[in-house]
């Protein structure tokens, strides 16, 4: 009989000794390291939804003239409306996702997006619906997008292993860039400036949205049968034991309370700043890439292809750098390198798009692609970094905060960037002959930039060189490029001083 016998020792535990609680916990965590192949299908579905949503947002970025000819309105107005609706939806995402679960919100948001696409395209592939219908459809898609953009960190934490999360998050977050690439390829190369092709083009987007919705409704699941990591298991336990009725709320929502807690966590605000900087730079460049490349004398036939290649560079850079961070866990160092490279690229592009310098076309295109490959990955890397430092905070709330802040900044940057494009800042050496300092209208050489962009005369602001430049001759940069330059400099300065504790990784490796 085994009755009354001392339990047999487990291998490695020591003769006749029970396993310690910490060792038992580590064994349990190792048993939890079960990953399901379905995780890749879920990553694809979420990425597909994000792809379509940004295709809608930037559908006319490569051919704004065709949209203006068809509707009599500026295409930038639609992009700004989309971003404003996105911001409003971000406030609700955390509470809605918590109340209904990941599967239900994905299904509902995908249906809402398809309804918005149908309002934009109408039922007749030969004519566009009214502008009010296009605005309403755009608003619905903008309202649905945060449910795709805010979910990648939660999907990664729920379905993927500890060494896969940054790559998975990068793939899903940057899938929207492929949607922008589709806008340049299909909108730029197929539609071009022919307004009569817009109705069929919008109908194609509706069909893509319908396909994504069908996949989501049939196959998307909220979580795998068993959690893949210790932190995922503890998140499930915490969700089951939590009493939502007792959680503090403001204005009936949990999110404002969670937000006030997040901004007090050490390391969260710098990761938020880096995320906002990245999404702001990529959004405004995507919205005005064609115009900026025209200023740099890029041949019109190449505009759509280069714009699409910029988006692909963002995706490839995100996957490669995300995989590197998965292996090395060097979130801060990698972010600083990416921001430094992006800063040098913006300086180079600013000089190329000015009036005084003339860079070869291949240099301009190469620098633009390099910028995309390094500024794009800052988003997914810092989405994961924010989850790491704020653990066990709600991943939905973290990503909602980042997307809300990023799209709010983009909504402000788009009109500001557009306005500052009408100014050329000319820096002249203090010891060299120069004209009067200050602001002047339509200085010499501006005809090329004005005619290429279709804008009125560009104003010139002549300034003495800052001391740190030490110029030999006058150089100029457009105001919109200087805006991005200042944004990057401020972000690098703020982020570089921060300290980050990878709390979630410590839990998984304990």
């Amino acid at each position: 009989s085994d009755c009354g016998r001392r339990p047999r020792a487990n291998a490695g535990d020591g003769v006749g000794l029970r396993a310690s609680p910490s060792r038992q916990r580590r064994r349990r965590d190792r048993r939890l390291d079960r990953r399901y192949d379905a995780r890749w299908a879920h990553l694809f579905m979420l990425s597909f939804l994000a792809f379509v949503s940004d295709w809608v947002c930037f559908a006319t970025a490569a051919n704004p003239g065709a949209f203006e000819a068809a509707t009599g309105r500026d295409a930038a107005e639609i992009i700004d409306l989309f971003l404003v609706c996105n911001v409003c939806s971000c406030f609700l995402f955390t509470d809605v996702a918590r109340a209904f679960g990941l599967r239900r919100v994905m299904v509902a948001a995908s249906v809402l997006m398809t309804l918005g696409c149908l309002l934009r395209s109408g039922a007749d592939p030969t004519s566009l619906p009214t502008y009010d219908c296009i605005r309403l459809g755009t608003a619905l898609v903008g309202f649905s997008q945060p449910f795709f953009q805010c979910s990648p960190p939660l999907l990664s934490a729920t379905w993927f292993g500890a060494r896969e999360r940054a790559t998975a998050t990068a793939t899903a977050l940057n899938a929207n860039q492929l949607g922008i690439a589709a806008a340049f390829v299909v909108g730029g190369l197929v539609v071009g400036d022919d307004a009569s092709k817009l109705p069929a083009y919008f109908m194609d987007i509706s069909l893509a949205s319908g396909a994504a919705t069908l996949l989501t409704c049939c196959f998307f699941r909220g979580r795998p049968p068993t959690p893949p990591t210790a932190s995922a298991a503890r998140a499930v336990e915490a969700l089951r034991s939590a009493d939502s009725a007792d959680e503090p709320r403001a204005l009936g929502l949990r999110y404002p309370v969670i937000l006030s807690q997040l901004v007090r966590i050490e390391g969260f605000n710098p990761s938020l700043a880096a995320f906002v900087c990245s999404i702001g730079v990529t959004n405004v460049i995507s919205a005005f890439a064609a115009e900026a490349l025209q200023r740099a004398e890029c041949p019109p036939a190449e505009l759509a292809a280069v714009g699409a290649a910029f988006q692909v560079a963002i995706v490839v850079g995100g996957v490669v750098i995300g995989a590197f961070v998965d292996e090395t866990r060097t979130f801060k160092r990698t972010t600083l390198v990416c921001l430094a490279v992006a800063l040098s690229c913006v300086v180079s592009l600013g000089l190329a798009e000015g009036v005084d310098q003339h860079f070869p076309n291949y240099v301009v295109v190469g620098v633009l692609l390099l910028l995309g490959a390094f500024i794009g990955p800052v988003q997914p890397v810092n989405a994961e970094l924010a989850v790491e430092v704020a653990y066990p905070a709600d991943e939905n709330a973290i990503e909602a905060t980042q997307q809300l802040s990023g799209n709010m900044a983009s909504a402000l940057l788009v009109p500001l960037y557009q306005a500052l494009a009408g100014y050329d800042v000319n820096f002249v050496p203090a010891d060299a002959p120069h004209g009067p300092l200050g602001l002047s209208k339509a200085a010499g050489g501006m005809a090329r930039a004005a005619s290429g962009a279709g804008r009125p005369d560009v104003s010139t602001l002549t300034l003495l060189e800052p001391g740190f430049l030490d110029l030999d001759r006058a150089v100029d940069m457009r105001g919109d490029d200087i805006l991005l330059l200042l944004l990057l400099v401020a972000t690098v300065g703020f982020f570089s001083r921060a300290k980050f504790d990878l709390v979630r990784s410590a839990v998984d490796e304990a």
Side-chain angles (χ1 to χ4, degrees), residues 373-411:
F374 279 89
I375 193 61
V378 173
Q379 288 181 58
V381 168
N382 281 272
E384 283 297 302
L385 177 57
V387 174
E388 288 281 350
V389 300
Y391 181 84
D394 189 335
E395 293 96 340
N396 288 334
I398 292 170
E399 188 59 20
T401 301
Q402 292 186 320
Q403 291 292 340
L404 186 155
S405 303
N407 286 309
M408 183 181 295
S410 298

Side-chain angles (χ1 to χ4, degrees), residues 492-510:
V492 170
F494 182 46
F495 188 88
S496 62
R497 299 181 180 182
K499 178 182 177 182
F500 305 96
D501 293 324
L502 306 184
V503 181
R504 184 176 64 173
S505 292
V507 170
D508 287 330
E509 296 170 3

Side-chain angles (χ1 to χ4, degrees), residues 185-498:
V185 172
V186 182
L189 298 181
V190 178
V191 178
D193 292 327
D194 187 353
S196 66
K197 295 181 179 180
L198 277 179
Y201 172 44
F202 280 14
M203 183 69 74
D204 291 340
I205 298 176
S206 296
L207 293 175
S209 180
T213 298
L214 182 62
L215 285 173
T216 303
C217 293
C218 294
F219 301 110
F220 197 92
R221 298 293 178 266
R223 63 168 61 96
T226 57
T229 62
S231 57
R234 294 177 190 181
V236 172
E237 294 172 1
L239 184 61
R240 289 173 178 169
S241 61
D243 185 355
S244 60
D246 294 336
E247 292 179 339
R249 298 172 184 267
L251 302 176
L253 300 174
R254 296 170 54 249
Y255 177 66
V257 177
I258 298 174
L259 176 60
S260 67
Q261 296 168 348
L262 287 175
V263 296
R264 294 196 294 267
I265 296 174
E266 183 179 14
F268 180 81
N269 289 334
S271 65
L272 176 62
F275 187 98
V276 169
C277 176
S278 174
I279 197 172
V281 172
T282 55
N283 276 348
V284 296
I285 288 181
S286 298
F288 300 105
E291 181 178 320
L293 288 169
Q294 284 178 336
R295 294 198 322 235
E297 298 185 331
C298 182
E302 298 180 11
L303 293 179
V306 173
F310 174 72
Q311 308 304 326
V312 173
I314 292 175
V315 175
V316 173
V319 172
V320 172
I321 293 177
F324 173 77
V325 172
D326 269 334
E327 290 298 322
T328 63
R329 319 307 289 169
T330 54
F331 291 90
K332 181 177 181 179
R333 186 186 313 162
T334 302
T335 298
L336 286 173
V337 170
C338 288
L339 291 173
V341 173
L343 183 61
S344 63
C345 290
V346 169
V347 171
S348 300
L349 287 173
L351 295 175
E353 294 169 7
V355 177
D356 296 333
Q357 288 74 40
H358 297 276
F359 291 180
N361 182 52
Y362 67 86
V363 173
V364 175
V365 173
V367 171
L368 182 67
L369 298 184
L370 187 65
L371 172 62
F374 279 89
I375 193 61
V378 173
Q379 288 181 58
V381 168
N382 281 272
E384 283 297 302
L385 177 57
V387 174
E388 288 281 350
V389 300
Y391 181 84
D394 189 335
E395 293 96 340
N396 288 334
I398 292 170
E399 188 59 20
T401 301
Q402 292 186 320
Q403 291 292 340
L404 186 155
S405 303
N407 286 309
M408 183 181 295
S410 298
L412 297 174
L413 282 172
V414 164
L416 183 59
Y417 184 92
Q418 191 175 24
L420 290 177
Y423 293 87
D424 189 74
V425 181
N426 192 31
F427 297 101
V428 297
D431 55 355
H434 56 78
L437 301 179
L439 188 65
S440 61
K441 296 288 289 184
M446 288 300 168
R448 175 175 65 89
S451 61
R455 291 192 175 281
D457 290 339
V458 179
S459 300
T460 298
L461 179 62
T462 304
L463 301 173
L464 291 177
E465 61 169 349
F468 61 86
L469 286 182
D470 192 23
L471 299 174
D472 295 326
R473 60 187 180 88
V475 298
D476 74 309
M477 293 181 67
R478 296 289 279 266
D480 48 4
D481 294 313
I482 293 177
L483 174 65
L484 298 186
L485 186 61
L486 293 176
L487 177 62
L488 284 162
V489 169
T491 303
V492 170
F494 182 46
F495 188 88
S496 62
R497 299 181 180 182

Side-chain angles (χ1 to χ4, degrees), residues 124-210:
D124 184 359
T126 62
S127 64
L128 285 176
T130 65
Y131 184 70
D132 287 339
C133 280
I134 294 175
R135 282 172 53 87
L136 178 59
T138 300
L140 292 181
V141 181
F143 194 84
S144 69
Q145 190 187 52
F147 294 92
F148 317 134
Q149 285 192 328
C150 297
S151 297
L154 176 61
L155 184 82
S156 300
T158 304
W159 282 89
F160 287 83
R163 295 290 178 177
E164 298 175 328
R165 289 187 297 234
T167 304
T169 299
T171 301
L173 273 182
N174 285 332
N176 62 327
Q177 307 302 145
L178 292 179
I180 304 175
F184 278 96
V185 172
V186 182
L189 298 181
V190 178
V191 178
D193 292 327
D194 187 353
S196 66
K197 295 181 179 180
L198 277 179
Y201 172 44
F202 280 14
M203 183 69 74
D204 291 340
I205 298 176
S206 296
L207 293 175
S209 180

